[in-house]
Amino acid sequence: MLITSHPNESKSRKSLVLAGGGIRVAYQVGVLKAMEEAGLQFDHVDGTSGGIFNAAMLASGMEVQALMDRWADLKMAHFVSPARVTDYLRPWRMKGMGDADAIRSKVFPHFGVDIASIRQKKLPITFSLCNFSKKSVQAIPAKDVHENHLLAGVSLPIVMPALQVGEDWFIDAVWIKDANLMEAVRRGAEEIWVVWGIGNYPAYLPGALRQYVHSIEMSANGGLWEEFEQIKWINKGILRGESEFGQRKPIQVFVIRPQLPLPLDPDLFFNRITTRDLMAMGYSDATEYLSAIPKSGTPLDERSTATRNLGDCLAISLHYSGELPWKDEISQVRYRVFLRYTEWEGKGNTEVYSSLYLGHLDQEFPGTAGHFSIKDSQGIVAEIASNFLIDGRTYHLLARFEVKSPWHWLAGMEFKALELVLYPKMEADPEIVMEGSLYQSFGARLRSFWKALAITNEGSRGGIGFKLKQIKKMMYDEV
């Protein structure tokens, strides 16, 4: 269990803060999976902005695996809810570019968000949103939450309207803060674990959408720095023996976040990236962080969320499937790989994020940070290596596929088949539990090119020539 309603007084009280990030908060679910596997338990959870989606599912009593399954099957079209046609004819009177109807009628039911269950279970979960009437951030406890609270909490100004509960109007808190650490402090937390996805990009990029996102970054990070300063002052008091909120030792903050900026929501809508890819990213980043947790926590300054420039980027989704023997039975297998090649200041790097579905277990498993390499021996062969925790046991996966040319990729002839080998890791004489070939359909191979996420260093979309150039560098290591 990720949440405990019976805290152990001899241990540090832990709060989990799920920050915003739009639909990209699917990333958080991969982090939650890694936290659960590491045995972390929290005495309190708070969700702000997009983080409210995941906090609401947890508050409804759902397990982390259920969150993963719901996000994996989510249809992006369910988020589309335009305002009335007549509203667009009078833009000066519009309450928002869209409304919350689709989230209310489609997204929340798909996610299994049940207000009655949330209020009845009374789990130690809060939802932080902007009380516009009072111009302040208010944390609504699960026992008091209304559906309009949750909808307002994910309603970005301009994009969606504010909603009313009682006499007060509420909206997304992002312009004040995107993560409510002080609610955790007031509840006596001595460890605050923050899952951050909004980004902290160093370069100011052109374009209305990116600059809107930059404005959110400024507000979100600025609010976080202010909370860091408050925590520093509170920690000084704790060291003097003054503990206003009951902490017995200085508060530590642990921030898990991507090393590079996450793709924007439109990339999800146009299938350039999937929620599965984001969950795999979150799981990979979290397992790496949890393998070497900083003893003193995350520095309480801008380093906590900083990313480097993305540079020239090409990201490809590959979906392989087939039937392979698992020990004494045949299993339906789906292997999904997200390759992201980035080039910055003359250096190229390929990251691997993956998931493995095993039909005989009816479960999809995220992989740890993978390794990508190219071998040139009687033809060019790409190799991917990563680890998977399956039924409490760590397995090592090796996948190999031939590489011909960027033009083969353009024509849908590249990435057709791969050879997969799966065996237990860290054993003297490991027995191979799965081995064989998986295939990618012709349609999927075409989509891998035409739907590939291509972004130039200036933040613009890369065309066909850019994609071919970057895949050549990735394949042939010509950086």
Side-chain angles (χ1 to χ4, degrees), residues 26 49-50 114 118 180 240 254 265 358 364 374 385 388 420 445:
S49 191
D114 186 325
I118 290 174
N180 193 357
R240 293 195 301 267
F254 302 89
D265 283 358
L358 299 176
E364 190 164 3
I374 295 287
F388 293 84
L420 180 147
R445 299 198 302 272

Side-chain angles (χ1 to χ4, degrees), residues 58-274:
L58 292 172
S60 298
M62 298 177 66
E63 299 292 339
V64 172
Q65 185 60 48
L67 268 67
M68 296 188 72
D69 295 339
R70 302 278 179 142
W71 273 105
D73 294 337
L74 176 66
K75 294 180 180 179
M76 291 297 114
H78 285 176
F79 281 94
V80 179
S81 186
R84 295 175 301 178
V85 174
T86 54
D87 290 342
Y88 296 104
L89 302 176
R90 297 178 295 177
W92 58 90
R93 296 189 61 183
M94 289 184 71
K95 297 178 181 179
M97 295 173 62
D99 58 37
D101 290 352
I103 295 178
R104 188 192 303 272
S105 64
K106 297 178 182 178
V107 176
F108 278 177
H110 175 81
F111 279 159
V113 174
D114 186 325
I115 300 300
S117 179
I118 290 174
R119 299 181 72 170
Q120 182 181 20
K121 291 182 183 300
K122 300 178 182 179
L123 291 172
I125 296 176
T126 51
F127 306 93
S128 291
L129 46 156
C130 171
N131 184 322
F132 179 80
S133 300
K134 298 177 181 176
K135 306 300 185 292
S136 62
V137 172
Q138 183 176 345
I140 310 294
K143 66 182 181 65
D144 298 327
V145 76
H146 291 265
E147 188 175 56
N148 272 7
H149 281 136
L150 301 183
L151 291 167
V154 297
S155 294
L156 276 174
I158 301 176
V159 178
M160 292 168 63
L163 294 170
Q164 193 171 13
V165 180
E167 297 182 355
D168 291 340
W169 286 87
F170 293 89
I171 200 161
D172 196 311
V174 68
W175 300 116
I176 303 176
K177 61 176 69 173
D178 206 39
N180 193 357
L181 278 66
M182 286 307 298
E183 177 62 23
V185 171
R186 286 187 285 269
R187 288 172 172 262
E190 294 168 335
E191 291 184 20
I192 303 176
W193 290 75
V194 182
V195 187
W196 187 265
I198 197 63
N200 180 0
Y201 205 73
Y204 193 79
L205 299 174
L209 174 61
R210 292 194 178 277
Q211 291 180 10
Y212 183 78
V213 172
H214 285 334
S215 66
I216 291 175
E217 287 182 279
M218 289 186 285
S219 296
N221 284 282
L224 186 64
W225 309 157
E226 284 294 323
E227 298 217 308
F228 282 173
E229 292 303 315
Q230 292 180 67
I231 290 173
K232 289 177 184 177
W233 277 105
I234 290 169
N235 280 344
K236 290 179 180 179
I238 292 171
L239 291 173
R240 293 195 301 267
E242 303 167 3
S243 183
E244 180 180 356
F245 303 108
Q247 282 87 358
R248 296 160 298 183
K249 60 182 181 180
I251 301 162
Q252 288 185 305
V253 178
F254 302 89
V255 179
I256 298 179
R257 44 86 179 185
Q259 298 300 311
L260 291 174
L262 294 176
L264 301 181
D265 283 358
D267 296 318
L268 278 161
F269 280 103
F270 292 108
N271 295 315
R272 300 187 185 104
I273 188 172
T274 69

Side-chain angles (χ1 to χ4, degrees), residues 405-422:
S405 77
W407 296 102
H408 281 78
W409 182 41
L410 169 63
M413 298 168 62
E414 197 70 273
F415 306 121
K416 179 179 180 180
L418 64 74
E419 297 297 319
L420 180 147
V421 179
L422 186 72

